[in-house]
Amino acid sequence: MSLSLLRLSSSPHLSTSLLLPTPTLFPSFLFHLPLTPKCLQITRRGPSVSAYSRGVPERAEYDAASEDDDEEEEEPMRAIYEEEVLPERWDVLGLGQAMVDFSGTVDDNFLKNLGLEKGTRKVVNHEERGRVLQAMDGCSYKAAAGGSLSNTLVALARLGSRSVEAPAINVAMAGSVGSDLLGGFYREKLRRANVQFLSAPIKDGTTGTVIVLTTPDAQRTMLAYQGTSSTVNCDASLASVVSKTNILVVEGYLFELPDTIKTITKACEKARRNGALVAITASDVSCIERHFDDFWEIIGNCVDLVFANGDEARTLCNFEAKENAASAARYLSHFVPLVSVTDGRKGSYIGVKGTAVYIPPSPCVPIDTCGAGDAYASGILYGLLRGISDLRSIGTIAAKVAATVVGQQGTRLRISDAVKLAESFAFQLDSSIRSDVGTDHISSV
């Protein structure tokens, strides 16, 4: 027998939810979603100071190269996509910040000379951004269509590329970029990764950037320039796209931006009215703390799926640090049908109906843990879209995707690895697609 969750309250401090026997756990559309068709980095060598004094890179000075050195692998996929018209309906639409990442390696003196505190994240203005980029003149660094959400979307598109066994998964993103060169760069790099950026560029707008400075001790200092990406409006175009998606994924970082709470609310409500599943990423502990009530307003009223790590989940629950990730997953699952909580090397949990399904970590030799949670989320989405109803199977897929990204340098799942993973999941798809989410699949931990 399966159980369904009825939410009685949007607040984690009020009444709990009621469990009643019903035919299915999730909305009926969840396991019957249509399967339809479908980062690059650029390495800058010898940057021009004059270009960055204006805050805008010169296009001619970029060498196109894939983030994962598999540009040649992407060309056939891109060519196929260009020959097709856009689908009538998207499997997944991500709503988030569209930021171009500039990543470089510096020493402690570099940070000291610029008065930057190591390991912090700071919002900077146009002039401050130009000053830092000018200081990086001559350094080796890369630019990429970055962001936590884009990492998830690219990985999902690569996992769900067209195969003999199943049609490709359609993936798109909406957000805000300017009509500048960086905006064009962002849109093009996602398109080449088979993620269509659907929002039109804002005329005379400036695309946001994040400068990531990594010191030899592996600590990252980030400088965010929000630019036009600080404004995301729920206009007619976005509303139309949202109404034609099966899963809407909202990036938690959007809660930090002015007036975006209204946009998030409208988008989520529109998605739900049109039968879509709504997912949200917790994104960051400090972001949750600053916008706790806003998060819960959305989660309690609109959200079907929450992605979080242990710290973020505890913050959402208002738990102390001593509480474990499993407890947070169980608690959140009283208010949301499905909760995904990662816990680093300890593994992960899928919370459902007040219980937590433990997912062991997939073996790997850790090289770079940045992007692990993004990859895990792509695995969860992949499992749901491929029709798997067994929670442990979905979690195992997600853990394997995350382990693959952790075992490499960089945050993006490589195309070659995605192909191998998808092939290895074929057996799970065949054996799980007809199974139910029953009580025998769920254990309290």
Side-chain angles (χ1 to χ4, degrees):
M1 181 180 68
S2 298
L3 297 175
S4 181
L5 183 90
L6 298 181
R7 267 173 294 190
L8 300 182
S9 170
S10 62
S11 171
H13 308 295
L14 300 179
S15 59
T16 58
S17 51
L18 177 67
L19 295 176
L20 295 175
T22 55
T24 57
L25 172 62
F26 303 113
S28 59
F29 65 85
L30 179 57
F31 297 118
H32 299 86
L33 298 175
L35 301 177
T36 51
K38 1 213 198 287
C39 291
L40 295 182
Q41 281 186 341
I42 51 178
T43 304
R44 185 171 178 84
R45 299 169 184 166
S48 163
V49 174
S50 62
Y52 282 114
S53 64
R54 299 190 301 272
V56 179
E58 294 174 355
R59 183 183 308 220
E61 294 180 353
Y62 289 101
D63 296 321
S66 171
E67 171 180 293
D68 41 45
D69 297 325
D70 56 9
E71 171 103 0
E72 292 183 359
E73 287 187 83
E74 286 193 314
E75 293 296 337
M77 297 172 65
R78 179 177 56 144
I80 290 173
Y81 192 84
E82 288 177 337
E83 293 172 1
E84 298 174 344
V85 296
L86 295 181
E88 294 184 1
R89 192 169 182 87
W90 297 94
D91 291 308
V92 172
L93 171 68
L95 179 63
Q97 279 190 287
M99 309 279 277
V100 174
D101 288 348
F102 290 96
S103 304
T105 301
V106 299
D107 55 25
D108 290 348
N109 286 332
F110 181 93
L111 300 179
K112 183 178 180 181
N113 292 337
L114 289 173
L116 302 175
E117 183 180 352
K118 184 166 64 174
T120 61
R121 186 180 188 273
K122 177 184 178 183
V123 176
V124 298
N125 58 31
H126 182 80
E127 289 71 24
E128 290 175 303
R129 178 183 72 162
R131 181 168 62 93
V132 175
L133 289 173
Q134 184 173 346
M136 295 175 69
D137 198 349
C139 297
S140 174
Y141 63 93
K142 293 181 178 181
S148 173
L149 179 61
S150 67
N151 287 338
T152 296
L153 298 178
V154 169
L156 178 61
R158 290 176 171 177
L159 287 169
S161 61
R162 182 181 295 132
S163 67
V164 175
E165 292 80 14
I169 294 174
N170 275 321
V171 184
M173 180 175 174
S176 180
V177 296
S179 55
D180 54 1
L181 295 178
L182 286 178
F185 166 76
Y186 191 95
R187 296 166 63 89
E188 171 65 10
K189 296 313 173 187
L190 284 190
R191 185 184 69 85
R192 294 184 67 163
N194 290 329
V195 177
Q196 192 75 11
F197 193 84
L198 301 179
S199 300
I202 296 177
K203 185 179 180 180
D204 299 325
T206 55
T207 302
T209 57
V210 177
I211 302 173
V212 184
L213 306 173
T214 304
T215 46
D217 59 0
Q219 289 201 54
R220 291 180 173 87
T221 303
M222 295 186 287
L223 307 170
Y225 170 70
Q226 294 182 341
T228 303
S229 62
S230 63
T231 303
V232 180
N233 297 317
C234 191
D235 54 18
S237 176
L238 177 58
S240 175
V241 174
V242 168
S243 68
K244 300 174 183 177
T245 185
N246 295 323
I247 301 179
L248 173 66
V249 183
V250 178
E251 185 176 25
Y253 284 118
L254 284 182
F255 284 84
E256 294 276 59
L257 307 180
D259 301 321
T260 52
I261 302 300
K262 296 179 181 178
T263 297
I264 294 170
T265 301
K266 289 180 180 179
C268 292
E269 290 176 347
K270 182 76 171 179
R272 289 292 294 270
R273 285 197 301 269
N274 286 274
L277 180 75
V278 176
I280 191 168
T281 67
S283 293
D284 180 72
V285 169
S286 61
C287 178
I288 297 170
E289 290 173 341
R290 286 190 291 270
H291 304 280
F292 185 84
D293 291 340
D294 292 327
F295 265 96
W296 270 104
E297 182 69 22
I298 299 295
I299 290 174
N301 294 319
C302 302
V303 172
D304 302 288
L305 171 59
V306 170
F307 294 111
N309 62 30
D311 291 335
E312 294 159 355
R314 279 186 286 269
T315 303
L316 280 173
C317 298
N318 207 15
F319 281 178
E320 296 181 0
K322 65 180 181 180
E323 295 286 351
N324 58 38
S327 297
R330 285 196 294 267
Y331 183 78
L332 287 173
S333 70
H334 284 294
F335 307 95
V336 182
L338 190 64
V339 179
S340 167
V341 180
T342 56
D343 198 22
R345 66 182 63 186
K346 297 179 182 179
S348 56
Y349 301 90
I350 296 181
V352 59
K353 302 193 296 274
T355 61
V357 179
Y358 174 65
I359 310 297
S362 187
C364 73
V365 178
I367 294 178
D368 184 359
T369 59
C370 188
D374 306 334
Y376 190 95
S378 73
I380 296 289
L381 294 171
Y382 176 81
L384 294 176
L385 286 165
R386 287 305 193 214
I388 299 178
S389 58
D390 177 74
L391 296 180
R392 283 202 178 90
S393 295
I394 293 175
T396 299
I397 286 174
K400 287 181 179 178
V401 178
T404 301
V405 171
V406 168
Q408 67 177 36
Q409 192 67 44
T411 60
R412 293 279 167 86
L413 178 66
R414 296 188 177 103
I415 295 174
S416 55
D417 289 333
V419 171
K420 293 177 183 177
L421 284 168
E423 291 175 349
S424 71
F425 298 154
F427 176 76
Q428 286 175 275
L429 297 179
D430 291 339
S431 60
S432 300
I433 196 167
R434 298 180 184 85
S435 64
D436 271 344
V437 184
T439 53
D440 57 322
H441 295 121
I442 301 170
S443 63
S444 182
V445 294

